[in-house]
Amino acid sequence: MAMFFDPFRELDRMSTMSDGRRGPRFVPMDLYREGDHYILNADVPGVDPGSIDIDVDGSVLTIRAVRTLSTAENAEWLTQERPSGSFVRQLSLGDGIDADSISASYHNGVLSVMIPVSQRMKPRKVEITAGAPETIAVTTGKSTAKK
């Protein structure tokens, strides 16, 4: 099998894949609101669901995951483009989130996190009553006046 090697293309590929740091890599995500909750979808393909950790500390949601690649002991790598190691993403939740009701699921390499809006932040209707406004009785000393 003939392979073509272009060193400049390889440098381009490596510079787009590497963020120049060792340690946790970035988890790409989408976030949108649907009705009374937010949906966060994070790409974590090839990650064992048991290695995913989601926690809420104050107003910060943190997603951590670990991807390990299994290889034969005597493997001779020709190319290795799939990243492995730790992945992390943090998101500031802000006010109005029901942190106790956050739930998550994992399917086909996508982690979906449902973040509900708290009851006090949901839009609500204010009931309007018909009729004369209520009068308030104010007591001042011996006489009673109505306002």
Side-chain angles (χ1 to χ4, degrees):
M1 169 168 78
M3 294 183 71
F4 178 75
F5 178 75
D6 179 357
F8 297 108
R9 188 179 76 191
E10 286 299 303
L11 283 173
D12 274 348
R13 181 189 62 79
M14 289 172 45
S15 68
T16 59
M17 289 183 57
S18 172
D19 57 8
R21 297 180 293 152
R22 287 203 175 272
R25 289 178 168 76
F26 182 73
V27 175
M29 69 171 206
D30 294 330
L31 178 66
Y32 60 94
R33 184 169 179 166
E34 185 177 279
D36 60 354
H37 57 275
Y38 293 94
I39 304 286
L40 181 150
N41 290 319
D43 287 344
V44 286
V47 170
D48 175 17
S51 78
I52 299 172
D53 180 47
I54 302 171
D55 64 49
V56 178
D57 185 7
S59 64
V60 177
L61 176 100
T62 304
I63 299 170
R64 287 185 181 84
V66 177
R67 179 185 306 145
T68 54
L69 301 177
S70 60
T71 59
E73 209 172 287
N74 297 326
E76 183 179 326
W77 289 100
L78 301 176
T79 186
Q80 187 177 16
E81 297 179 351
R82 297 176 28 207
S84 63
S86 298
F87 296 82
V88 68
R89 185 68 188 253
Q90 288 188 312
L91 180 70
S92 179
L93 296 175
D95 293 332
I97 298 299
D98 184 1
D100 294 331
S101 299
I102 293 174
S103 61
S105 63
Y106 180 82
H107 183 67
N108 287 339
V110 177
L111 175 67
S112 294
V113 182
M114 190 178 83
I115 307 166
V117 175
S118 69
Q119 288 294 332
R120 64 182 174 87
M121 296 304 286
K122 291 180 184 177
R124 64 181 178 87
K125 291 284 189 184
V126 176
E127 186 179 329
I128 301 171
T129 57
E134 294 183 22
T135 57
I136 302 171
V138 178
T139 306
T140 56
K142 295 182 182 176
S143 62
T144 302
K146 290 205 175 195
K147 284 190 171 181

